[in-house]
């Protein structure tokens, strides 16, 4: 396991993130993280001069991060400074202090690089192929446009949340006039970006994550991370209104908004809203990744650009790998599940499509991850991990559905009520079919030796007959058949037919 | 990582459990498990003859288990048969069928061995030093008595739940007369055990776990495993009454009772109740361990008898190890926390004692385990893992308290309400002090390099002064001091004094 530390010295918050990865494999995980609201760009003003207080905080934080890397033995450390430091007249002063005080070798990256790392983060954590990306930092705003997952256009503009808030909204209360001026300024700055449009828009950065978290908390469903959440323009405008109604110091009281962003969140939300207006985007898909992941992906992945082939499949397999699931077993449960799912579809016994098929596959690969917590109730623990351990590329609704299919791979009657506000018509029936299928496939792979190599489906006289096929290596399928027969009820009820397991 | 599979061929359920362990270290975990309600002892009757149906289920299950071991590459497999098979006239017939059909080499253990494994399970999963142990299986009842954690007495009696239910409660409804006869029979059989008494009683086995789960569900607190739960005689008698009011086939409707035990749970509960009466025990402390852990501990631990030195400390360290926590960091947070805790106690600033001190230590060692799930919200994930990943030796109340201290080591105001029915007077204040301490200690170890080697506490003019001591290796303590100063509020509020961090 190699480790890489990335230090993102942003204009608002600084973050040290340690990634673990196996070179030559797609396995990686975030193993450690420290965040500090340094606000290095505070009070820079028109003169673009770093102030003593913020510089002091910056040097302290650099010392914490350097000591941390040293103590934990991480040798490969990439420290990157973005907009505030990049633009500061006196940046050398800060960089020298950091050099004297710590072992960090800080690289000041260009706006173009900043945009490119943001693009890599988006392309490797969402399903976007053609579309636009937005990253709002404390100092600058990065806009990108990708075609076929390749970066086509980018811009980096000095429209960060700290900068805009200090310039346009310096007081506790924001007036309508000030907010209008901020929006107008953003609109004006974006005029040159005639490529700024697209079918889909993905967004990253702390401001956007906080806004998404606040919007998400107004909807009732399990408390998952904001990755994959769709922030609509309407929801954003509602938030702008609520934020503007409060004095700056109280804006952190809104659930989802970090108190240390309270004073710059309104400015940030106005920048995002204006940018969405300019590109005529109705919604923004949130990713939890950021500049730091872009740096990590560039380092750890092959290819130019360095991209995962398929973000969702990668997420699922990586999560299973992190929790040491038996890969042969879970992949085989996936194979058998899809055979049953497809056989029933051909026979017209359900009308579920590719979307559900993919969720079923993901749930199969992840159904046992909960055993890392405890074998007892591991189906419940799998649900917890699926919801909380990170699956980039899926929406919250998809996440909960995958979690529920895994939850009911053993024991209990599928219950769609956890979906709450995300529940759609037919979800109860949808879950019953999918859980019925995985439960049967799990039993056909009961002894986890792949002795049932495949399963064929026949429908005769209104009765469904599953015929398990032996693997030809002399494996004993009688056990699988015996187990499957005792677990066919859920599927039978879901499709309203008798289900018979041939022996 | 070595692996050992233990197959427990009980009279009611069979279980295959795979343990992973590092020889020469105390690290172990349960890595896999299959349970099957074989009910091999069903219908044996007075003739002690295994019946064709149960034998068929037994051979099938043996085949599943053997295929499982083979497929997963576990070579060290210990298959043990207990009471029902031991006592059967035709046991050789079953053992031969298993031998022909599978690669399993089944060892039929004596009642004395069965009792000894139960004792090892209890001594290594509870804090009992002097006291009694009870294990109720489907075929037999094992009673033990230990002095100074050594087994002093044991008995194995043919009073298992399946056996007693078939003999005394053969119908759907149980009459008062039948139940009385069952109790009287148990009492009579226990007459020879004049050593059957003691201050404390610990219990293991599926019947006892189910009864504890049912009793636990009547109390409102987080849904944790039954390990450490105290089942009082009163609660047990209430359950007996409720079970007896239902027909046998409906007894599995009671939450906590497995449906496949529905028909023998009343019989089992009466055996336990009668045994508690005989020994005059007011309550029974439940352990989740069983015969299988006894076999594993005998194999993996040194010493005669093979015992952990300290069950609680072992549980805590083992759980931290399972989730790859940075041991130097968490142990050091523990050390600093205890120094602050002790310093404040000497100054009379809290009246918490050894109990809270131990919980604080455990929470320190476990505070970061949630990072294995996700760094974001890892304090919440630590709470989930502490509650659900297994910490033998602690009561549910202690478990929730440890979880809450870890939960609030960062972010938020300690909230005792999760304790629900387990909340006691002063818990809010208790948690505030403990969380205030850990939060400060965590900051003093912010860069995780142990540069603050120790902390001294002075109280002057009603103000508490913490003096961090450098480690003498040239480590930089300024970072720790800077971080700690910004996180002293919680402790200051909890003890009602200003808290100053010297620099």
């Amino acid at each position: 396991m190699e480790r890489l530390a990335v230090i993102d010295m942003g204009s608002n918050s600084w973050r040290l993130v340690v990634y673990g990865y196996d070179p030559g494999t797609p396995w990686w995980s975030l193993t450690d993280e420290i965040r500090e609201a340094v606000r290095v760009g505070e009070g820079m003003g028109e003169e673009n001069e770093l102030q003593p207080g913020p510089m002091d905080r910056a040097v302290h934080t650099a010392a914490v991060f350097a000591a941390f890397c040293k103590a934990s033995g991480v040798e490969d450390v990439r420290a990157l400074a973005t907009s505030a430091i990049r633009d500061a007249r006196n940046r050398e002063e800060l960089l020298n202090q950091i050099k004297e005080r710590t072992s960090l070798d800080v690289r000041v990256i260009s706006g173009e690089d900043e945009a490119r790392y943001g693009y890599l983060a988006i392309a490797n954590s969402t399903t976007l192929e053609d579309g636009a990306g937005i990253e709002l930092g404390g100092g600058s705003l990065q806009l990108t446009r990708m075609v076929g997952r390749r970066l086509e256009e980018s811009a980096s503009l000095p429209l960060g949340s700290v900068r805009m808030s200090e310039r346009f909204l310096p007081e506790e209360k924001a007036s309508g006039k000030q907010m209008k001026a901020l929006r107008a300024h953003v609109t004006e700055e974006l005029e040159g970006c005639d490529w700024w449009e697209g079918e889909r828009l993905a967004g990253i950065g702390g401001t956007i994550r906080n806004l998404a978290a606040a919007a998400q908390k107004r909807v009732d469903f399990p408390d998952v991370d904001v990755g994959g959440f769709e922030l609509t323009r309407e929801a954003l405008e509602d938030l702008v209104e609520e934020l503007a109604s409060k004095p700056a110091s109280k804006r952190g009281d809104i659930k989802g908004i970090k108190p240390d962003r309270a004073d710059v969140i309104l400015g940030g939300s106005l920048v995002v809203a204006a940018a969405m207006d300019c590109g005529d985007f109705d919604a923004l898909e949130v990713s939890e990744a950021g500049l730091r992941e872009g740096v990590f992906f560039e380092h750890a992945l092959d290819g130019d650009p360095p991209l995962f082939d398929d973000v969702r499949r990668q997420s699922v397999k990586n999560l299973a790998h992190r929790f040491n699931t038996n890969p042969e077993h879970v992949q085989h449960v996936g194979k058998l599940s899809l055979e049953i799912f497809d056989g029933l579809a051909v026979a017209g016994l359900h009308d579920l499509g590719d979307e559900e098929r993919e969720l079923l596959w993901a749930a199969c690969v992840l159904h046992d991850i909960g055993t890392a917590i405890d074998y007892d109730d591991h189906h419940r623990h799998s649900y917890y991990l699926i919801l909380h351990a990170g699956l980039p590329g899926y929406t919250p609704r998809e996440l909960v559905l995958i979690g529920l299919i895994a939850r009911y791979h053993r024991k209990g009657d599928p219950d769609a009520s956890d979906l709450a506000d995300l529940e759609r018509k037919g979800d109860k029936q949808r879950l019953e079919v999918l859980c019925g299928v995985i439960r049967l496939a799990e039993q056909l792979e009961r002894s986890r030796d792949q002795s049932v190599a495949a399963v064929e489906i026949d429908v005769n006289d209104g009765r469904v007959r599953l015929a398990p096929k032996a693997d030809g290596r002399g494996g004993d399928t009688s056990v699988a058949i015996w187990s499957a027969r005792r677990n066919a009820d859920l599927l039978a009820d879901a499709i309203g037919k008798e289900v018979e397991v041939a022996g």
Side-chain angles (χ1 to χ4, degrees), chain A:
Chain A
M1 189 84 145
E2 302 274 317
R3 286 185 299 168
L4 176 77
V6 179
I7 296 177
D8 174 357
M9 298 171 156
S11 308
N12 185 42
S13 60
W14 283 25
R15 222 180 266 264
L16 159 70
V17 181
V18 182
Y19 301 94
Y21 63 105
D22 279 328
T25 76
W27 313 136
W28 70 283
S29 66
L30 191 163
T31 63
D32 238 317
E33 182 169 343
I34 312 187
R35 174 185 178 272
E36 191 61 47
V38 173
R39 189 69 65 85
V40 70
E42 189 179 43
M44 279 176 72
E46 304 275 319
E47 300 80 32
N48 268 333
E49 193 155 305
L50 295 165
Q51 300 300 303
M55 281 172 73
D56 191 44
R57 292 195 297 264
V59 173
H60 256 110
T61 305
V64 174
F65 289 4
F68 181 94
C69 291
K70 199 175 157 201
S72 47
V74 184
E75 286 170 9
D76 203 348
V77 181
R78 313 287 165 93
L80 288 82
T82 55
S83 175
I85 298 177
R86 173 168 71 230
D87 301 339
R89 284 190 345 175
N90 56 340
R91 73 183 199 189
E92 290 309 319
E93 197 183 320
L94 174 62
L95 295 173
N96 284 335
Q97 282 187 37
I98 292 176
K99 206 169 200 167
E100 269 169 37
R101 178 79 185 274
T102 76
S103 55
L104 296 179
D105 183 18
V106 180
R107 178 180 147 214
V108 180
I109 64 170
S110 66
E112 200 180 331
D113 278 347
E114 199 172 345
R116 179 179 145 80
Y117 287 130
Y119 144 75
L120 285 177
I122 288 173
N124 280 312
S125 67
T126 71
T127 56
L128 231 66
E129 303 209 336
D130 302 295
I134 179 170
E135 186 206 358
L136 181 63
S140 59
L141 169 73
Q142 279 67 238
L143 304 179
T144 54
R145 187 170 153 73
M146 62 168 119
V147 176
R149 301 185 76 207
R150 289 188 163 266
L151 181 62
E152 288 282 316
E153 304 278 357
S154 76
S156 178
L157 303 160
L159 301 172
S161 60
V162 175
R163 218 184 277 256
M164 291 299 98
S165 298
E166 290 188 351
R167 174 159 166 200
F168 289 96
L169 314 170
E171 291 123 33
E172 267 283 280
K173 288 291 296 177
S175 73
K177 199 172 154 190
Q178 289 169 324
M179 300 201 300
K180 218 167 155 182
L182 195 164
R183 282 188 197 245
H185 177 70
V186 173
T187 305
E188 195 180 321
E189 290 278 319
L190 261 63
E191 259 171 16
C193 303
D194 52 1
W195 48 266
W196 177 243
E197 55 177 14
E199 279 291 302
R200 290 170 67 186
L201 171 66
I204 59 177
T207 296
I208 287 173
R209 276 199 306 278
N210 274 237
L211 292 170
Q216 188 169 302
K217 287 201 191 300
R218 295 165 172 213
V219 195
D220 176 32
F221 64 88
D223 186 24
V224 297
D225 285 337
V226 293
F229 182 79
E230 196 179 73
L231 179 65
T232 62
R233 195 144 46 138
E234 200 184 333
L236 179 57
E237 293 294 355
D238 286 350
L239 277 171
V240 166
E241 204 170 305
E242 185 179 354
L243 289 164
S245 73
K246 292 182 187 291
S249 55
K250 296 281 179 199
R251 289 173 197 147
D253 295 349
I254 297 175
K255 280 193 174 176
I257 307 297
K258 280 200 163 79
D260 60 31
R261 282 189 195 281
D263 57 337
V264 297
I265 190 71
L266 175 59
S269 66
L270 289 165
V271 176
V272 176
M276 285 177 77
D277 275 343
C278 290
D280 200 22
F281 295 103
D282 292 330
L284 178 165
E285 302 166 41
V286 180
S287 165
E288 294 241 301
L291 175 87
R292 53 201 176 273
E293 270 79 26
V295 175
F296 167 69
F297 292 135
E298 183 177 66
H299 173 80
L301 300 188
D302 294 329
D304 181 21
L307 299 180
F308 292 121
D309 289 340
D310 182 319
V311 169
R312 290 183 172 215
R313 288 186 85 84
Q314 159 65 17
S315 289
V316 169
K317 290 186 171 184
N318 193 50
L319 187 56
H321 182 80
R322 275 177 55 203
F323 291 100
N324 280 319
T325 315
N326 175 337
E328 290 79 19
H329 169 64
V330 299
Q331 297 278 2
H332 200 66
V333 170
K335 176 183 185 287
L336 298 176
S337 286
L338 297 185
E339 286 172 0
I340 301 172
F341 181 91
D342 292 344
L344 297 174
V346 168
L349 291 174
H350 66 70
D351 57 0
L352 308 181
D354 286 348
E355 257 179 66
E356 287 90 354
R357 193 176 187 277
E358 192 202 346
L359 300 181
L360 175 61
W361 172 82
C364 288
V365 174
L366 298 171
H367 76 281
D368 274 347
I369 55 175
T371 57
I373 297 180
D374 195 9
Y375 187 87
D376 272 355
D377 281 335
H378 72 261
H379 48 295
R380 292 179 198 273
H381 303 320
S382 294
Y383 177 72
Y384 185 88
L385 291 176
I386 289 168
L387 261 61
H388 299 295
L391 271 183
Y394 291 94
T395 66
R397 174 177 155 83
E398 290 168 332
L399 210 59
V400 179
L401 283 171
I402 295 170
L404 288 172
I405 302 168
R407 159 63 186 86
Y408 293 102
H409 86 269
R410 66 196 283 258
K411 299 189 178 181
D413 292 321
D415 179 358
S417 66
D418 274 9
L419 284 161
D421 287 355
L422 301 177
E423 188 171 348
R424 291 188 196 153
K425 201 165 168 283
D427 275 347
K428 169 98 180 124
Q429 161 72 5
R430 184 173 284 120
L431 274 174
E432 278 168 358
V433 171
L434 296 168
C435 299
V437 170
I438 190 177
R439 197 174 288 187
L440 206 44
E442 166 82 337
Q443 294 305 320
L444 289 172
E445 168 59 0
R446 182 78 199 278
S447 42
R448 306 190 204 180
D449 60 356
Q450 297 85 56
S451 58
V452 171
V455 56
E456 282 172 11
I457 315 288
D458 278 316
V459 181
N460 268 316
D461 303 333
R463 179 186 283 196
V464 176
R465 191 166 168 279
L466 270 69
K469 301 295 164 194
D471 63 356
R473 292 174 301 166
D476 184 350
T477 59
S478 68
V479 157
I481 292 162
W482 175 72
S483 301
R485 282 181 180 155
R486 299 182 306 163
N487 284 277
D489 293 4
L490 181 59
L491 183 62
D493 288 348
I495 59 175
K497 302 265 176 210
E498 258 184 69
V499 173
E500 181 188 304
V501 181

PDB file of all heavy atoms in Angstrom, chain A residues 357-377:
ATOM      1  N   ARG A 357     -31.422  -3.300 -13.061  1.00  0.00           N
ATOM      2  CA  ARG A 357     -30.455  -4.377 -13.264  1.00  0.00           C
ATOM      3  C   ARG A 357     -29.077  -3.958 -12.732  1.00  0.00           C
ATOM      4  O   ARG A 357     -28.374  -4.733 -12.090  1.00  0.00           O
ATOM      5  CB  ARG A 357     -30.388  -4.680 -14.770  1.00  0.00           C
ATOM      6  CG  ARG A 357     -29.670  -5.964 -15.128  1.00  0.00           C
ATOM      7  CD  ARG A 357     -29.749  -6.192 -16.646  1.00  0.00           C
ATOM      8  NE  ARG A 357     -29.221  -7.490 -17.006  1.00  0.00           N
ATOM      9  CZ  ARG A 357     -27.928  -7.762 -17.176  1.00  0.00           C
ATOM     10  NH1 ARG A 357     -27.043  -6.811 -17.005  1.00  0.00           N
ATOM     11  NH2 ARG A 357     -27.533  -8.983 -17.500  1.00  0.00           N
ATOM     12  N   GLU A 358     -28.724  -2.721 -12.990  1.00  0.00           N
ATOM     13  CA  GLU A 358     -27.423  -2.245 -12.528  1.00  0.00           C
ATOM     14  C   GLU A 358     -27.386  -2.115 -10.998  1.00  0.00           C
ATOM     15  O   GLU A 358     -26.374  -2.412 -10.358  1.00  0.00           O
ATOM     16  CB  GLU A 358     -27.113  -0.887 -13.179  1.00  0.00           C
ATOM     17  CG  GLU A 358     -25.664  -0.484 -12.985  1.00  0.00           C
ATOM     18  CD  GLU A 358     -25.442   1.014 -13.126  1.00  0.00           C
ATOM     19  OE1 GLU A 358     -26.340   1.713 -13.636  1.00  0.00           O
ATOM     20  OE2 GLU A 358     -24.372   1.470 -12.697  1.00  0.00           O
ATOM     21  N   LEU A 359     -28.501  -1.652 -10.423  1.00  0.00           N
ATOM     22  CA  LEU A 359     -28.547  -1.537  -8.963  1.00  0.00           C
ATOM     23  C   LEU A 359     -28.463  -2.919  -8.316  1.00  0.00           C
ATOM     24  O   LEU A 359     -27.819  -3.105  -7.279  1.00  0.00           O
ATOM     25  CB  LEU A 359     -29.831  -0.824  -8.526  1.00  0.00           C
ATOM     26  CG  LEU A 359     -30.031   0.599  -9.065  1.00  0.00           C
ATOM     27  CD1 LEU A 359     -31.336   1.185  -8.536  1.00  0.00           C
ATOM     28  CD2 LEU A 359     -28.866   1.512  -8.682  1.00  0.00           C
ATOM     29  N   LEU A 360     -29.122  -3.890  -8.941  1.00  0.00           N
ATOM     30  CA  LEU A 360     -29.081  -5.262  -8.432  1.00  0.00           C
ATOM     31  C   LEU A 360     -27.643  -5.776  -8.433  1.00  0.00           C
ATOM     32  O   LEU A 360     -27.163  -6.364  -7.454  1.00  0.00           O
ATOM     33  CB  LEU A 360     -29.974  -6.158  -9.301  1.00  0.00           C
ATOM     34  CG  LEU A 360     -29.952  -7.662  -8.990  1.00  0.00           C
ATOM     35  CD1 LEU A 360     -30.414  -7.954  -7.568  1.00  0.00           C
ATOM     36  CD2 LEU A 360     -30.819  -8.436  -9.994  1.00  0.00           C
ATOM     37  N   TRP A 361     -26.951  -5.538  -9.538  1.00  0.00           N
ATOM     38  CA  TRP A 361     -25.549  -5.970  -9.618  1.00  0.00           C
ATOM     39  C   TRP A 361     -24.711  -5.343  -8.502  1.00  0.00           C
ATOM     40  O   TRP A 361     -23.950  -6.020  -7.806  1.00  0.00           O
ATOM     41  CB  TRP A 361     -24.961  -5.611 -10.998  1.00  0.00           C
ATOM     42  CG  TRP A 361     -23.486  -5.856 -11.053  1.00  0.00           C
ATOM     43  CD1 TRP A 361     -22.858  -7.048 -11.285  1.00  0.00           C
ATOM     44  CD2 TRP A 361     -22.439  -4.899 -10.797  1.00  0.00           C
ATOM     45  NE1 TRP A 361     -21.501  -6.897 -11.204  1.00  0.00           N
ATOM     46  CE2 TRP A 361     -21.210  -5.582 -10.910  1.00  0.00           C
ATOM     47  CE3 TRP A 361     -22.433  -3.538 -10.503  1.00  0.00           C
ATOM     48  CZ2 TRP A 361     -19.985  -4.956 -10.735  1.00  0.00           C
ATOM     49  CZ3 TRP A 361     -21.202  -2.906 -10.314  1.00  0.00           C
ATOM     50  CH2 TRP A 361     -19.996  -3.616 -10.436  1.00  0.00           C
ATOM     51  N   ALA A 362     -24.896  -4.033  -8.326  1.00  0.00           N
ATOM     52  CA  ALA A 362     -24.114  -3.333  -7.290  1.00  0.00           C
ATOM     53  C   ALA A 362     -24.415  -3.913  -5.908  1.00  0.00           C
ATOM     54  O   ALA A 362     -23.502  -4.144  -5.101  1.00  0.00           O
ATOM     55  CB  ALA A 362     -24.435  -1.841  -7.323  1.00  0.00           C
ATOM     56  N   ALA A 363     -25.692  -4.160  -5.635  1.00  0.00           N
ATOM     57  CA  ALA A 363     -26.068  -4.707  -4.327  1.00  0.00           C
ATOM     58  C   ALA A 363     -25.462  -6.090  -4.127  1.00  0.00           C
ATOM     59  O   ALA A 363     -25.045  -6.436  -3.019  1.00  0.00           O
ATOM     60  CB  ALA A 363     -27.588  -4.770  -4.194  1.00  0.00           C
ATOM     61  N   CYS A 364     -25.402  -6.882  -5.191  1.00  0.00           N
ATOM     62  CA  CYS A 364     -24.800  -8.216  -5.070  1.00  0.00           C
ATOM     63  C   CYS A 364     -23.330  -8.109  -4.680  1.00  0.00           C
ATOM     64  O   CYS A 364     -22.860  -8.804  -3.784  1.00  0.00           O
ATOM     65  CB  CYS A 364     -24.930  -8.983  -6.388  1.00  0.00           C
ATOM     66  SG  CYS A 364     -26.612  -9.509  -6.739  1.00  0.00           S
ATOM     67  N   VAL A 365     -22.615  -7.231  -5.349  1.00  0.00           N
ATOM     68  CA  VAL A 365     -21.180  -7.101  -5.070  1.00  0.00           C
ATOM     69  C   VAL A 365     -20.955  -6.601  -3.633  1.00  0.00           C
ATOM     70  O   VAL A 365     -19.959  -6.933  -2.997  1.00  0.00           O
ATOM     71  CB  VAL A 365     -20.517  -6.152  -6.093  1.00  0.00           C
ATOM     72  CG1 VAL A 365     -19.060  -5.897  -5.744  1.00  0.00           C
ATOM     73  CG2 VAL A 365     -20.626  -6.752  -7.495  1.00  0.00           C
ATOM     74  N   LEU A 366     -21.923  -5.834  -3.120  1.00  0.00           N
ATOM     75  CA  LEU A 366     -21.752  -5.224  -1.796  1.00  0.00           C
ATOM     76  C   LEU A 366     -22.514  -5.920  -0.680  1.00  0.00           C
ATOM     77  O   LEU A 366     -22.425  -5.489   0.479  1.00  0.00           O
ATOM     78  CB  LEU A 366     -22.188  -3.751  -1.868  1.00  0.00           C
ATOM     79  CG  LEU A 366     -21.385  -2.863  -2.832  1.00  0.00           C
ATOM     80  CD1 LEU A 366     -22.041  -1.494  -2.990  1.00  0.00           C
ATOM     81  CD2 LEU A 366     -19.948  -2.715  -2.344  1.00  0.00           C
ATOM     82  N   HIS A 367     -23.238  -6.998  -0.991  1.00  0.00           N
ATOM     83  CA  HIS A 367     -24.172  -7.510   0.017  1.00  0.00           C
ATOM     84  C   HIS A 367     -23.500  -7.988   1.294  1.00  0.00           C
ATOM     85  O   HIS A 367     -24.109  -7.985   2.350  1.00  0.00           O
ATOM     86  CB  HIS A 367     -25.093  -8.588  -0.570  1.00  0.00           C
ATOM     87  CG  HIS A 367     -24.466  -9.935  -0.761  1.00  0.00           C
ATOM     88  ND1 HIS A 367     -23.640 -10.226  -1.827  1.00  0.00           N
ATOM     89  CD2 HIS A 367     -24.540 -11.066  -0.046  1.00  0.00           C
ATOM     90  CE1 HIS A 367     -23.246 -11.499  -1.756  1.00  0.00           C
ATOM     91  NE2 HIS A 367     -23.779 -12.031  -0.683  1.00  0.00           N
ATOM     92  N   ASP A 368     -22.245  -8.389   1.231  1.00  0.00           N
ATOM     93  CA  ASP A 368     -21.572  -8.937   2.418  1.00  0.00           C
ATOM     94  C   ASP A 368     -20.611  -7.976   3.098  1.00  0.00           C
ATOM     95  O   ASP A 368     -19.926  -8.378   4.042  1.00  0.00           O
ATOM     96  CB  ASP A 368     -20.775 -10.194   2.023  1.00  0.00           C
ATOM     97  CG  ASP A 368     -21.634 -11.451   2.046  1.00  0.00           C
ATOM     98  OD1 ASP A 368     -22.754 -11.397   2.601  1.00  0.00           O
ATOM     99  OD2 ASP A 368     -21.188 -12.481   1.504  1.00  0.00           O
ATOM    100  N   ILE A 369     -20.507  -6.712   2.646  1.00  0.00           N
ATOM    101  CA  ILE A 369     -19.470  -5.853   3.249  1.00  0.00           C
ATOM    102  C   ILE A 369     -19.697  -5.659   4.745  1.00  0.00           C
ATOM    103  O   ILE A 369     -18.751  -5.446   5.483  1.00  0.00           O
ATOM    104  CB  ILE A 369     -19.307  -4.472   2.560  1.00  0.00           C
ATOM    105  CG1 ILE A 369     -20.613  -3.696   2.479  1.00  0.00           C
ATOM    106  CG2 ILE A 369     -18.710  -4.621   1.173  1.00  0.00           C
ATOM    107  CD1 ILE A 369     -20.430  -2.283   1.915  1.00  0.00           C
ATOM    108  N   GLY A 370     -20.946  -5.777   5.185  1.00  0.00           N
ATOM    109  CA  GLY A 370     -21.239  -5.601   6.608  1.00  0.00           C
ATOM    110  C   GLY A 370     -20.574  -6.626   7.507  1.00  0.00           C
ATOM    111  O   GLY A 370     -20.451  -6.397   8.717  1.00  0.00           O
ATOM    112  N   THR A 371     -20.130  -7.749   6.941  1.00  0.00           N
ATOM    113  CA  THR A 371     -19.460  -8.747   7.789  1.00  0.00           C
ATOM    114  C   THR A 371     -18.162  -8.185   8.376  1.00  0.00           C
ATOM    115  O   THR A 371     -17.667  -8.709   9.356  1.00  0.00           O
ATOM    116  CB  THR A 371     -19.143 -10.042   7.011  1.00  0.00           C
ATOM    117  OG1 THR A 371     -18.354  -9.728   5.874  1.00  0.00           O
ATOM    118  CG2 THR A 371     -20.422 -10.716   6.543  1.00  0.00           C
ATOM    119  N   ALA A 372     -17.631  -7.130   7.782  1.00  0.00           N
ATOM    120  CA  ALA A 372     -16.439  -6.492   8.359  1.00  0.00           C
ATOM    121  C   ALA A 372     -16.758  -5.893   9.726  1.00  0.00           C
ATOM    122  O   ALA A 372     -15.875  -5.713  10.558  1.00  0.00           O
ATOM    123  CB  ALA A 372     -15.911  -5.404   7.434  1.00  0.00           C
ATOM    124  N   ILE A 373     -18.029  -5.585   9.962  1.00  0.00           N
ATOM    125  CA  ILE A 373     -18.434  -5.042  11.264  1.00  0.00           C
ATOM    126  C   ILE A 373     -18.770  -6.193  12.207  1.00  0.00           C
ATOM    127  O   ILE A 373     -18.207  -6.311  13.279  1.00  0.00           O
ATOM    128  CB  ILE A 373     -19.614  -4.058  11.110  1.00  0.00           C
ATOM    129  CG1 ILE A 373     -19.153  -2.858  10.266  1.00  0.00           C
ATOM    130  CG2 ILE A 373     -20.157  -3.626  12.463  1.00  0.00           C
ATOM    131  CD1 ILE A 373     -20.213  -1.798  10.038  1.00  0.00           C
ATOM    132  N   ASP A 374     -19.689  -7.039  11.796  1.00  0.00           N
ATOM    133  CA  ASP A 374     -20.051  -8.197  12.618  1.00  0.00           C
ATOM    134  C   ASP A 374     -20.844  -9.138  11.731  1.00  0.00           C
ATOM    135  O   ASP A 374     -21.653  -8.684  10.923  1.00  0.00           O
ATOM    136  CB  ASP A 374     -20.914  -7.739  13.814  1.00  0.00           C
ATOM    137  CG  ASP A 374     -21.028  -8.815  14.897  1.00  0.00           C
ATOM    138  OD1 ASP A 374     -20.307  -9.834  14.802  1.00  0.00           O
ATOM    139  OD2 ASP A 374     -21.839  -8.637  15.830  1.00  0.00           O
ATOM    140  N   TYR A 375     -20.612 -10.424  11.891  1.00  0.00           N
ATOM    141  CA  TYR A 375     -21.401 -11.341  11.089  1.00  0.00           C
ATOM    142  C   TYR A 375     -22.888 -11.216  11.444  1.00  0.00           C
ATOM    143  O   TYR A 375     -23.740 -11.148  10.567  1.00  0.00           O
ATOM    144  CB  TYR A 375     -20.918 -12.791  11.230  1.00  0.00           C
ATOM    145  CG  TYR A 375     -21.656 -13.640  10.253  1.00  0.00           C
ATOM    146  CD1 TYR A 375     -21.181 -13.792   8.948  1.00  0.00           C
ATOM    147  CD2 TYR A 375     -22.882 -14.204  10.568  1.00  0.00           C
ATOM    148  CE1 TYR A 375     -21.891 -14.500   8.008  1.00  0.00           C
ATOM    149  CE2 TYR A 375     -23.601 -14.907   9.627  1.00  0.00           C
ATOM    150  CZ  TYR A 375     -23.109 -15.058   8.358  1.00  0.00           C
ATOM    151  OH  TYR A 375     -23.824 -15.732   7.426  1.00  0.00           O
ATOM    152  N   ASP A 376     -23.177 -11.195  12.729  1.00  0.00           N
ATOM    153  CA  ASP A 376     -24.559 -11.007  13.161  1.00  0.00           C
ATOM    154  C   ASP A 376     -25.102  -9.734  12.544  1.00  0.00           C
ATOM    155  O   ASP A 376     -24.454  -8.682  12.637  1.00  0.00           O
ATOM    156  CB  ASP A 376     -24.627 -10.830  14.688  1.00  0.00           C
ATOM    157  CG  ASP A 376     -24.751 -12.158  15.404  1.00  0.00           C
ATOM    158  OD1 ASP A 376     -24.888 -13.191  14.727  1.00  0.00           O
ATOM    159  OD2 ASP A 376     -24.693 -12.149  16.645  1.00  0.00           O
ATOM    160  N   ASP A 377     -26.276  -9.821  11.975  1.00  0.00           N
ATOM    161  CA  ASP A 377     -26.894  -8.628  11.386  1.00  0.00           C
ATOM    162  C   ASP A 377     -26.026  -7.992  10.296  1.00  0.00           C
ATOM    163  O   ASP A 377     -26.098  -6.773  10.090  1.00  0.00           O
ATOM    164  CB  ASP A 377     -27.176  -7.560  12.461  1.00  0.00           C
ATOM    165  CG  ASP A 377     -28.430  -7.880  13.244  1.00  0.00           C
ATOM    166  OD1 ASP A 377     -29.305  -8.591  12.711  1.00  0.00           O
ATOM    167  OD2 ASP A 377     -28.542  -7.428  14.393  1.00  0.00           O
TER     168      ASP A 377
END
